[in-house]
Amino acid sequence: SNNNINYQTPKYAFSEALKDYKNEHNELGIDVSEWQGAVDYELVKNAGATFVMMRIGYTPKAGETPKIDGTYLNNIKKAKEVGLKVGVYLYSKALSKEHAIKEAEWIIETLQGEKLDFPIIFDWEIWSNWNSYHLSFHELNEMPKSFIETVEKAGYKGALYGSKFYLESLWDGSYDQVWLAHYTTKTNYEGKYFMWQFSNVGR
């Protein structure tokens, strides 16, 4: 699904990313979850990052209630303490509009009014079992739309996370707020996006 020729080498240093991408019109940040363990946010800030996108939780199995990420509470507390901007995402396994709404409601309850600088992200990536879901493209797109509507009714912004391939082929292109994942040195994605995840090997 990815036909790029400019791949990054493993262990792409944040200092190199700053040289490659930082300018007066953008800012650089990191994406964390419990897979990164305990993060020293003073070091993150000193390295030049200005924001952190963090996993607030994940849905273990389709239809189940989400579980909180094991490092979320520490991540949001420590990141804010050093003055970093924050946003959250849920790794969703929703298979219906109704379940996506329940996931959004769970996030709102878990946040307990916490102020965010970036949207709440609907992150749905369970494509490997697509044939067993029996979802139409319309039903697929109803999930993030319902999720986003629910968080926005609660006063937050909402957005969709997606790779270039799926944004161009399965998500319907009507999303104003997109977190684009495209691991390449220069994206040729032509849709709207407010954030670009350009590497999965950053250090």
Side-chain angles (χ1 to χ4, degrees), residues 53-126:
M53 298 300 292
M54 59 190 70
R55 188 175 75 165
I56 189 172
Y58 60 95
T59 302
K61 292 181 181 178
E64 291 186 351
T65 300
K67 291 185 179 296
I68 195 165
D69 182 282
T71 55
Y72 161 70
L73 292 173
N74 186 68
N75 282 336
I76 197 159
K77 178 176 183 288
K78 298 297 185 182
K80 282 192 166 190
E81 281 179 355
V82 300
L84 292 166
K85 297 177 184 178
V86 296
V88 301
Y89 64 92
L90 178 81
Y91 186 81
S92 170
K93 289 188 179 177
L95 293 180
S96 70
K97 170 182 175 179
E98 291 73 23
H99 190 223
I101 291 171
K102 287 181 180 178
E103 289 180 333
E105 291 172 342
W106 176 88
I107 292 176
I108 294 162
E109 183 179 346
T110 303
L111 282 169
Q112 296 183 335
E114 190 79 60
K115 182 182 179 297
L116 302 176
D117 304 287
F118 290 96
I120 297 173
I121 311 295
F122 182 79
D123 176 13
W124 196 94
E125 304 177 55
I126 52 173

